[in-house]
Amino acid sequence: MDDALTDSLTDVFEQHRPLLAGVAYRMLGRVADAEDVVQDAWLRWTAGDRSDVVEPRAFLVRITTRLALDRLRQITSRREAYTGPWLPEPVRTATADAPGSGTGPWGAVPDTAERAVLTDTVSLAVLVVLESLSPAERAVFVLREAFGFPYAEIAAALDRSEAAVRQMAGRARRHVEERRTRYDVDPTRCREITERFLAAASGGDLGELLALLAPDATLVGDGGGRTKAPLRVLAGADRIGRFLVGVSVGPPRDTEFRPLELNGAPAVLVLSGGEPDTVLQLGVVDGRIDCVYIIRNPDKLRALASGHPSGNRPAITLV
């Protein structure tokens, strides 16, 4: 392959890389898996027969979708054997001090008007719900709801009829609507509640925790069997509050709390000795905490470390 052709193929692929990574991440929920799929798509793009390719974007999305479907089927057993609750790997979408402006390390950052759309397709809560869809339904939902692909293109990507894809899209949309919670998306309000929650949890203030938590709140902890985290979902404000008070101790001197935006919502990265230890994110409904997400699996925090190569390359288009 001559240098000019290689450069041309590279330019085309890099133009669409953020889109491809965004599709793969939403389908797989893990950055490393998404990056592997995109790399495989690059190899197919450069080594395959492109003589009949009219629209590179559609062709690349089709390759990526099929590769992601294959990977999703392969990792099903891995998810089933996972220790404790499973949560997606969080990705940066903006800095907490400048939400809605500029460009984050994982693609374009939405303004306030676009934030609700972003949350609808990439929030931790929605990605957890997508886990309960079949691989094909998940692909249809991602391509249609997150990126607005026409049914005909989705049908070509999945090698299904357009009528079948429309039926799958309807089932997937109804399934997600029935199971997802509509969290508040006002970043200022969510950050204020997060700060109060952190202060109450670290100080063992049960009264304040109960005031912040909705009566039917849940706490989902993901340690993956690698570090301490609840092995089951905790339900109810009183149970959650007493659990947090029971584990509350004064943070070590080398602990740092760093606000940031993950998956379209404010979050806190807890650093211990300069290394990522925990991600905390709250689901807020009508001013009360409806869900507490705690991610401690080191494999899912590695990309948030300062200087990690994944944190320096635009890879995930979230809008």
Side-chain angles (χ1 to χ4, degrees), residues 96-221:
D97 59 344
S101 61
T103 300
W106 293 96
V109 177
D111 59 24
T112 302
E114 294 172 318
R115 191 170 297 275
V117 176
L118 169 63
T119 302
D120 275 353
T121 62
V122 81
S123 71
L124 296 182
V126 169
L127 292 178
V128 168
V129 173
L130 293 187
E131 284 290 299
S132 59
L133 296 175
S134 71
E137 287 174 337
R138 184 163 183 161
V140 170
F141 182 88
V142 167
L143 293 175
R144 182 64 183 173
E145 300 299 322
F147 296 100
F149 278 92
Y151 288 112
E153 286 191 31
I154 300 173
L158 299 182
D159 197 20
R160 304 284 184 98
S161 70
E162 186 173 338
V165 165
R166 287 180 180 274
Q167 289 181 345
M168 280 194 288
R171 287 197 305 270
R173 191 180 304 112
R174 288 192 298 271
H175 181 92
V176 173
E177 288 293 337
E178 290 170 358
R179 288 163 177 79
R180 70 173 160 191
T181 302
R182 295 285 186 175
Y183 292 131
D184 294 345
V185 296
D186 181 347
T188 300
R189 189 180 195 187
C190 291
R191 283 199 301 272
E192 291 173 351
I193 292 174
T194 299
E195 291 170 1
R196 290 176 58 193
F197 177 86
L198 277 174
S202 60
D205 188 341
L206 179 59
E208 176 69 356
L209 287 171
L210 293 178
L212 290 168
L213 291 161
D216 57 350
T218 56
L219 182 150
V220 185

Side-chain angles (χ1 to χ4, degrees), residues 258-293:
R258 182 175 299 173
L260 71 171
E261 185 177 276
L262 298 174
N263 295 70
V268 173
L269 173 63
V270 183
L271 300 168
S272 180
E275 295 298 322
D277 177 86
T278 303
V279 158
L280 169 73
Q281 191 172 74
L282 306 176
V284 177
V285 178
D286 297 330
R288 302 286 293 277
I289 298 169
D290 180 77
C291 188
V292 181
Y293 295 108

